[in-house]
Amino acid sequence: MGFSVHWIWLAALSCLLCMAGEVRCDCTEVNMQMTGGNYTLTKQLEQGSLMIYHCPEGYYPYPALSRLCQANGSWKPAARRFLPQRCRMVECPDPSVLEFGSVSPLQENYFVKNETTYECYSGYSMRGSGRRTCLPNGKWSGPTPICSRDSGDNCADPGIPAGSVRNGNLFGIDDTVTYSCNGNLFLVGSSERVCQENGQWTGIEPACYYKHTYDTPLEVSEAFGSAIRESLTTSEVTNDTQQGRTIRISKNGTLNIYIAVDISESIEKKHFDNARDAVIKLIKKIASFSVTPNYEILFFSSQVYEVVSILDFLDGNTVLNDVITRLENFVVGDRNTGTDLNMVFKTFLERMAFIKQQVGVEGFKEHRHVLIFFTDGAYNMGGSPVPTVNLIKNMVYMNHTSEKEAKSREEFLDIYVFAIGAELFDEDLQPLTAGLGGQHYFRMKDIQNLQETFDQIIDEEEVKGLCGLHKDYETDTQRERYPWWAFIHVQTKEKSKKCLGSLVTPQFILTAAHCFTFENFPEDVTVEIGNFIEKGVKNFKIHPQYNINGKTNEGVKEFYDYDVALIQLKNDIKISSATRPICIPGTQETSNALKLVGKSTSKQQEELLLKNHLERLSFLTKTGNTVREKDVHAKLGDNRDECIQHAVDAEGIDTNNPKVAVTDNFLCSGGLNPFRDHIACKGDSGGAVFKNFEHRTVQVAVVSWGTKDKCGTGEVVESDEASRDFHLNLFRVVPFLKSILGDDNQDDYAPLEFLSS
Ligand SMILES: *[C@@H]1O[C@H](CO)[C@@H](O)[C@H](O)[C@H]1NC(C)=O
Ligand SMILES: *[C@@H]1O[C@H](CO)[C@@H](O)[C@H](O)[C@H]1NC(C)=O
Ligand SMILES: *[C@@H]1O[C@H](CO)[C@@H](O)[C@H](O)[C@H]1NC(C)=O
Ligand SMILES: *[C@@H]1O[C@H](CO)[C@@H](O)[C@H](O)[C@H]1NC(C)=O
Ligand SMILES: *[C@@H]1O[C@H](CO)[C@@H](O)[C@H](O)[C@H]1NC(C)=O
Ligand SMILES: *[C@@H]1O[C@H](CO)[C@@H](O)[C@H](O)[C@H]1NC(C)=O
């Protein structure tokens, strides 16, 4: 680095002055180097700056995780000469706490990558992992191994997680076990669990964490996803035992979500940006569930910066997009020093009191509250938030003092804490969480992956069937971005035809009628959806009014009106994040996706999706094993006539009236004005013309035909002055879709719920 002696001398001198309280002075980097790693400073060497240490994966900074620059220019904690700052190898907690079994190898300490195996004594059988590896986040891979024998107890042996001590060896109804952690470990999860009548233990398995232990994004998304899912799915699938079919029932109530993001100096700027983006992501993802919560969103340090007030939601003055815009535009200015976490809880309590006043006590009973905090827990003002949390509980639990009555209200309040920062105040933060069931406290090393973390929540089993859900960013094969796209191959001895299609239910693919000819049989058709290649096509159904020769005597050689068909597979396709149906016009689910509340109509859907006279839409083209997106602008309203005029120049059309070939059932795209569109090429036919609405994709048309054949399969080519493409508007063929997909007089497949008009 080459600090000059002169510089050090000056620094030392000014520090002498500032120790005497004469001037405010900066900290120095002298003797602060670390071996094996490095550090960053949040505010250079100014007072209040945090020196945050970083180590490679599998290591953690020791003896300090961070140091704070104090007013007198000294670091806290001070660097110690005989305990130099370095990177230490990550350790995992002691696994030899296993009862009725053996652990090998037995070691004093277990380091990252160390492997252990577990065996049970004879007569005992094992649950959990027989082999575990110490991971870079300070946890053992796999679930806790438990050796037990069938003793006829009401609950199964809950085990002893690595590093912990369990008190209690009786597993009958109402028996309690308690846990604590050894040495410098601390406990995350339930320190007490009670055996319930249903054979389950209350709470969640505890774990012993070191200060260097953290939760991986995958762990967080799984745990948070399953915990919050209960609040987010308004309709649950249950078994209708008489019919053997699944039905949907709705839960009552209103969901209020309160989000607070710590922007005090103790959290780095990049953390703030990431947290804000993650909040945006979280809100967008929540929007893809079929709920519309009210939001209260604020940032805080020593004061509260309210970005969105829940009161505006109650008044109906705010829509989701405003929330996102306000979040995006929120910038961190100069912040007051200090952190007042208690004030945030007080603010939320006030909002709840206001809601209660507005909706009355009975109405308030139906309100669920989810509080989500992003903070490191280093509050230094306002005192402990615990008393305020108790007031919040009291309010939501309706003053029920008896444990049993309070329990019945517990599902109405969840407090989640995402602990984020260089140094976390676990002892202060953990008691602030509340809620039933899953994990509510998450210890994040880095917030960078939080967006992705929240993204994975939508892959939960319960919502995976929702139409049009997809990821917004590029993925390797693009399957998760366009999980509905299908490739169709119709092969006979003489001819082979390739089309695209879209999955519209687990058993049906929508495509163009012109992909088939009169001679085709279901055996000629192959459908490919990702790795799934299905030859088992049961049937295909072409729109009854489709007739390619219907207007030969009016000068239209090939007439494409009603160019839609549905392919029925022999078996349902397995739905996953990479294989999921697209939303189609006229269904209830599409109305849900479009957030049309109450009784809605196809017309409303159409007005929402095709409202501009120049509507931006997309379709796909297949290149190799993946797809690329093509963008077009459908010319609607006043723009349509000019657009379809060019149909008369197409080959095989011998009439001056474009409307003979291009009926009102087509959308028109292409040309140069005001934008150049991509044009459809060979092989794009039958594909979905779609529009994304927030995080759902809705198909509005099917790629049908065009005036010019300008490109080959997989090419992305732009339109010229006269090239136009015509896409069959699905809003015009809802009765056809409904007659097949909505048919509930059959037992082959679950029908889609269509709107009555
Ligand atoms: C600091 O350390 C981290 C982790 O070892 C490393 O990824 C990073 O490149 C280092 N940065 C600098 C500037 O040395
Ligand atoms: C600097 O101030 C802190 C508290 O403000 C004090 O504990 C510490 O001893 C001071 N250091 C020196 C070198 O004066
Ligand atoms: C455990 O890890 C340490 C550090 O990498 C290594 O020295 C030791 O040999 C490992 N022990 C076993 C049994 O693998
Ligand atoms: C419905 O019941 C059947 C048989 O009881 C069961 O196999 C299936 O998993 C149940 N489905 C759901 C969604 O609960
Ligand atoms: C939902 O509302 C109905 C009628 O308002 C009520 O009978 C039912 O108990 C409520 N269900 C729940 C779970 O609160
Ligand atoms: C709960 O207690 C508070 C304060 O004691 C009181 O104002 C409120 O009316 C009570 N609420 C109910 C539902 O009993």
Side-chain angles (χ1 to χ4, degrees):
M1 282 271 192
F3 290 118
S4 72
V5 174
H6 182 61
W7 192 88
I8 293 174
W9 183 83
L10 263 182
L13 178 67
S14 64
C15 250
L16 278 174
L17 288 172
C18 82
M19 263 150 46
E22 311 249 322
V23 287
R24 223 199 69 201
C25 105
D26 287 346
C27 291
T28 79
E29 293 180 279
V30 180
N31 294 328
M32 301 302 288
Q33 286 72 25
M34 80 184 295
T35 43
N38 54 32
Y39 59 79
T40 50
L41 295 163
T42 55
K43 282 169 53 181
Q44 286 96 40
L45 293 168
E46 289 168 31
Q47 175 196 350
S49 179
L50 261 194
M51 172 177 274
I52 297 170
Y53 293 111
H54 308 279
C55 287
E57 189 176 76
Y59 292 82
Y60 68 97
Y62 179 85
L65 293 169
S66 68
R67 296 182 202 276
L68 177 69
C69 178
Q70 301 180 104
N72 57 12
S74 68
W75 291 103
K76 180 186 167 186
R80 287 167 58 190
R81 219 169 125 203
F82 297 105
L83 194 55
Q85 185 70 30
R86 60 196 166 99
C87 288
R88 249 193 178 182
M89 200 179 279
V90 163
E91 257 180 78
C92 282
D94 182 9
S96 67
V97 295
L98 178 71
E99 269 188 320
F100 314 118
S102 62
V103 181
S104 73
L106 279 175
Q107 287 169 211
E108 183 108 352
N109 302 95
Y110 293 86
F111 295 103
V112 63
K113 290 193 184 136
N114 278 177
E115 292 191 358
T116 45
T117 53
Y118 305 81
E119 273 177 42
C120 293
Y121 300 150
S122 72
Y124 290 83
S125 58
M126 183 178 298
R127 282 180 290 132
S129 296
R131 201 183 178 84
R132 305 180 90 185
T133 307
C134 176
L135 302 176
N137 65 343
K139 294 184 184 184
W140 290 102
S141 64
T144 305
I146 301 169
C147 295
S148 62
R149 59 177 163 200
D150 191 12
S151 54
D153 283 329
N154 187 57
C155 286
D157 186 331
I160 306 179
S164 74
V165 179
R166 188 187 72 208
N167 275 310
N169 291 310
L170 299 176
F171 311 144
I173 295 175
D174 288 341
D175 282 334
T176 301
V177 293
T178 58
Y179 293 90
S180 57
C181 290
N182 289 318
N184 55 352
L185 291 157
F186 62 94
L187 187 137
V188 173
S190 308
S191 58
E192 184 180 298
R193 305 185 78 183
V194 182
C195 174
Q196 303 175 99
E197 222 169 303
N198 64 5
Q200 301 292 313
W201 292 97
T202 58
I204 54 167
E205 185 181 274
C208 293
Y209 281 43
Y210 290 101
K211 277 285 176 192
H212 64 251
T213 311
Y214 59 90
D215 302 321
T216 63
L218 188 64
E219 288 172 324
V220 175
S221 74
E222 284 181 1
F224 181 63
S226 67
I228 201 170
R229 186 178 57 216
E230 168 69 9
S231 306
L232 295 184
T233 33
T234 49
S235 48
E236 348 173 62
V237 180
T238 51
N239 264 337
D240 177 343
T241 44
Q242 281 170 344
Q243 303 267 323
R245 255 201 215 132
T246 56
I247 52 160
R248 287 179 172 274
I249 55 162
S250 276
K251 267 197 223 157
N252 307 345
T254 306
L255 177 63
N256 301 304
I257 297 184
Y258 309 75
I259 299 175
V261 183
D262 187 343
I263 54 168
S264 67
E265 289 155 317
S266 49
I267 291 206
E268 289 176 87
K269 160 108 174 64
K270 89 168 189 256
H271 279 169
F272 166 72
D273 291 343
N274 280 322
R276 183 195 58 193
D277 293 347
V279 169
I280 294 172
K281 184 59 117 192
L282 177 65
I283 290 170
K284 287 182 173 177
K285 286 304 157 190
I286 288 172
S288 65
F289 285 76
S290 43
V291 286
T292 40
N294 303 321
Y295 285 102
E296 170 80 29
I297 300 172
L298 54 82
F299 296 95
F300 69 97
S301 55
S302 63
Q303 66 190 78
V304 162
Y305 308 86
E306 192 173 52
V307 181
V308 176
S309 169
I310 205 159
L311 307 181
D312 291 341
F313 271 91
L314 291 181
D315 297 344
N317 284 341
T318 301
V319 295
L320 194 71
N321 277 339
D322 298 343
V323 176
I324 289 164
T325 311
R326 278 193 237 168
L327 271 168
E328 279 166 350
N329 294 339
F330 186 87
V331 286
V332 200
D334 270 344
R335 282 162 281 160
N336 301 350
T337 49
T339 312
D340 190 343
L341 190 53
N342 192 16
M343 186 163 56
V344 179
F345 279 95
K346 281 183 174 160
T347 307
F348 290 166
L349 178 65
E350 275 168 28
R351 299 291 177 269
M352 286 181 190
F354 191 88
I355 294 173
K356 188 171 172 182
Q357 195 189 349
Q358 283 229 317
V359 302
V361 173
E362 282 310 305
F364 191 70
K365 279 186 184 162
E366 299 282 313
H367 278 244
R368 304 163 65 90
H369 308 270
V370 175
L371 281 58
I372 301 172
F373 287 84
F374 300 87
T375 179
D376 58 3
Y379 59 82
N380 54 8
M381 300 168 68
S384 165
V386 168
T388 316
V389 170
N390 289 336
L391 290 174
I392 288 175
K393 286 183 178 168
N394 205 34
M395 174 168 291
V396 178
Y397 299 166
M398 309 309 275
N399 290 359
H400 287 313
T401 41
S402 96
E403 207 170 303
K404 200 164 184 149
E405 283 174 311
K407 272 253 160 2
S408 70
R409 295 285 311 162
E410 267 179 30
E411 63 167 302
F412 289 85
L413 177 68
D414 282 290
I415 305 179
Y416 296 95
V417 174
F418 288 84
I420 292 162
E423 201 133 10
L424 304 176
F425 291 76
D426 306 277
E427 315 74 45
D428 294 333
L429 286 175
Q430 277 206 77
L432 306 180
T433 62
L436 285 176
Q439 194 174 338
H440 284 72
Y441 185 65
F442 303 98
R443 222 174 176 270
M444 308 278 295
K445 181 181 193 184
D446 209 315
I447 179 168
Q448 248 152 336
N449 300 327
L450 202 58
Q451 277 200 56
E452 228 179 301
T453 304
F454 287 147
D455 222 19
Q456 300 187 1
I457 297 169
I458 69 164
D459 289 338
E460 293 297 326
E461 294 286 307
E462 269 76 350
V463 293
K464 71 184 181 184
L466 288 184
C467 71
L469 268 188
H470 64 277
K471 303 223 155 130
D472 289 327
Y473 46 83
E474 291 204 14
T475 60
D476 282 351
T477 64
Q478 298 285 55
R479 278 245 48 108
E480 296 186 327
R481 199 169 186 186
Y482 314 106
W484 37 264
W485 84 271
F487 176 58
I488 296 157
H489 195 179
V490 184
Q491 175 85 54
T492 55
K493 276 201 199 78
E494 303 83 46
K495 260 171 79 179
S496 155
K497 196 156 196 173
K498 297 184 169 90
C499 279
L500 296 185
S502 52
L503 192 68
V504 291
T505 77
Q507 208 173 104
F508 281 92
I509 286 115
L510 181 62
T511 186
H514 80 260
C515 298
F516 306 96
T517 63
F518 293 117
E519 298 94 58
N520 292 138
F521 293 99
E523 306 84 85
D524 304 336
V525 184
T526 310
V527 174
E528 258 179 63
I529 297 186
N531 294 328
F532 175 90
I533 300 176
E534 178 63 67
K535 293 210 169 67
V537 167
K538 184 168 187 173
N539 208 346
F540 56 86
K541 291 175 185 166
I542 288 170
H543 194 292
Q545 282 163 275
Y546 172 74
N547 180 2
I548 191 131
N549 300 320
K551 286 196 175 168
T552 39
N553 56 4
E554 291 177 61
V556 178
K557 199 169 155 214
E558 294 176 354
F559 181 51
Y560 289 105
D561 207 3
Y562 300 105
D563 189 10
V564 284
L566 283 164
I567 300 173
Q568 183 181 8
L569 304 173
K570 282 188 179 145
N571 299 304
D572 277 6
I573 282 185
K574 192 171 180 308
I575 301 302
S576 70
S577 60
T579 320
R580 201 198 309 265
I582 196 169
C583 300
I584 53 169
T587 67
Q588 180 59 47
E589 222 188 325
T590 300
S591 282
N592 295 347
L594 297 174
K595 314 232 154 26
L596 291 170
V597 289
K599 201 168 150 61
S600 59
T601 62
S602 299
K603 185 101 191 114
Q604 283 175 302
Q605 295 180 351
E606 184 172 359
E607 280 165 4
L608 201 58
L609 290 163
L610 301 174
K611 63 171 179 288
N612 299 313
H613 285 185
L614 207 60
E615 196 68 61
R616 208 188 130 151
L617 303 171
S618 306
F619 57 91
L620 299 180
T621 190
K622 180 176 188 284
T623 63
N625 285 328
T626 181
V627 283
R628 287 167 72 183
E629 191 171 316
K630 291 184 176 176
D631 299 318
V632 296
H633 296 81
K635 278 79 181 169
L636 306 170
D638 305 343
N639 296 322
R640 191 170 186 272
D641 281 351
E642 196 282 331
C643 190
I644 67 169
Q645 184 57 39
H646 296 271
V648 300
D649 303 328
E651 211 179 297
I653 295 197
D654 189 17
T655 163
N656 288 327
N657 182 2
K659 293 188 177 171
V660 177
V662 188
T663 64
D664 284 347
N665 296 337
F666 288 98
L667 298 176
C668 180
S669 70
L672 301 180
N673 286 314
F675 307 102
R676 283 187 84 160
D677 283 346
H678 290 136
I679 62 173
C681 304
K682 277 201 184 63
D684 297 350
S685 284
V689 179
F690 61 91
K691 187 172 168 170
N692 286 335
F693 186 89
E694 286 166 11
H695 293 264
R696 310 284 287 270
T697 308
V698 184
Q699 179 170 0
V700 295
V702 171
V703 176
S704 180
W705 63 289
T707 59
K708 290 195 174 180
D709 191 4
K710 289 188 61 172
C711 48
T713 304
E715 286 180 52
V716 178
V717 174
E718 291 189 325
S719 53
D720 63 25
E721 172 63 35
S723 65
R724 294 292 184 277
D725 289 317
F726 305 106
H727 316 288
L728 196 92
N729 184 344
L730 287 181
F731 285 100
R732 301 285 168 275
V733 292
V734 171
F736 167 72
L737 300 173
K738 184 173 179 173
S739 71
I740 296 168
L741 303 173
D743 181 8
D744 52 11
N745 288 316
Q746 44 75 37
D747 269 327
D748 276 3
Y749 52 88
L752 286 185
E753 186 186 339
F754 276 81
L755 304 171
S756 49
S757 64

